Amino acid sequence: GAAATGSAAGSAAGSLQRVWEKSLDSGKDTPITRVVNLLKEMSATLEKDQEEDEALFKELACWCSTGKNEKEEAVKASTAKIEQLGSDIERLTAQSTELTTTIKELGEQLASDKTALAEATALREKQISEFQGMENDNVQALENL
């Protein structure tokens, strides 16, 4: 940017210097004519520079506009994603709490069922023992008859 501007200024100064020297060498031009010609040359150079600057401005404005639109879309998409993830976190946290409660209840129920099974097993063993004892007594009584 700055080097191009410096070289363009140096080129313009060199061009103006050549026009001025040419005007001085030809003795037929009056000083006013030389100044007018110099001003015309300067005007043409400025118009050319202005056109180049306008083309560059249009290119950069387009680039900025496109970049801005892309970034705005990316921000919108990211904001929506953040909201979605926030609601997912809330939903999953509630589900985790619910499942933790269910696990605790099932653990308590399992312990209760194990206790009931142990009691039922003990009762069955007692009943089998009583039945075998009574059966042995009945077999003994039949043998005695």
Side-chain angles (χ1 to χ4, degrees), residues 27-112:
K28 60 186 173 202
D29 290 336
T30 64
I32 294 177
T33 306
R34 284 185 243 153
V35 170
V36 169
N37 289 338
L38 183 61
L39 289 174
K40 286 180 183 178
E41 180 72 25
M42 288 174 64
S43 176
T45 303
L46 288 174
E47 286 177 9
K48 181 181 148 220
D49 289 348
Q50 182 180 1
E51 289 172 5
E52 291 173 0
D53 288 349
E54 286 176 359
L56 181 62
F57 175 78
K58 286 179 183 177
E59 183 180 325
L60 292 177
C62 179
W63 177 78
C64 288
S65 177
T66 302
K68 178 185 174 200
N69 291 338
E70 290 173 358
K71 295 303 177 195
E72 286 176 348
E73 290 301 317
V75 167
K76 285 180 187 177
S78 296
T79 302
K81 184 73 173 175
I82 288 170
E83 291 175 7
Q84 175 64 40
L85 291 174
S87 67
D88 286 350
I89 288 171
E90 290 176 12
R91 179 181 52 82
L92 293 173
T93 300
Q95 186 178 8
S96 174
T97 303
E98 180 182 329
L99 291 174
T100 301
T101 302
T102 302
I103 289 171
K104 181 180 174 187
E105 291 172 356
L106 290 174
E108 292 170 356
Q109 185 177 355
L110 179 63
S112 172

Side-chain angles (χ1 to χ4, degrees), residues 129-141:
S129 175
E130 288 174 1
F131 174 75
Q132 287 174 343
M134 194 171 56
E135 183 179 33
N136 286 342
D137 289 345
N138 287 340
V139 169
Q140 195 66 30

Side-chain angles (χ1 to χ4, degrees), residues 13-30:
S15 175
L16 292 174
Q17 181 71 29
R18 283 190 298 278
V19 168
W20 181 254
E21 288 172 358
K22 190 171 99 176
S23 295
L24 289 176
D25 289 341
S26 64
K28 60 186 173 202
D29 290 336
T30 64

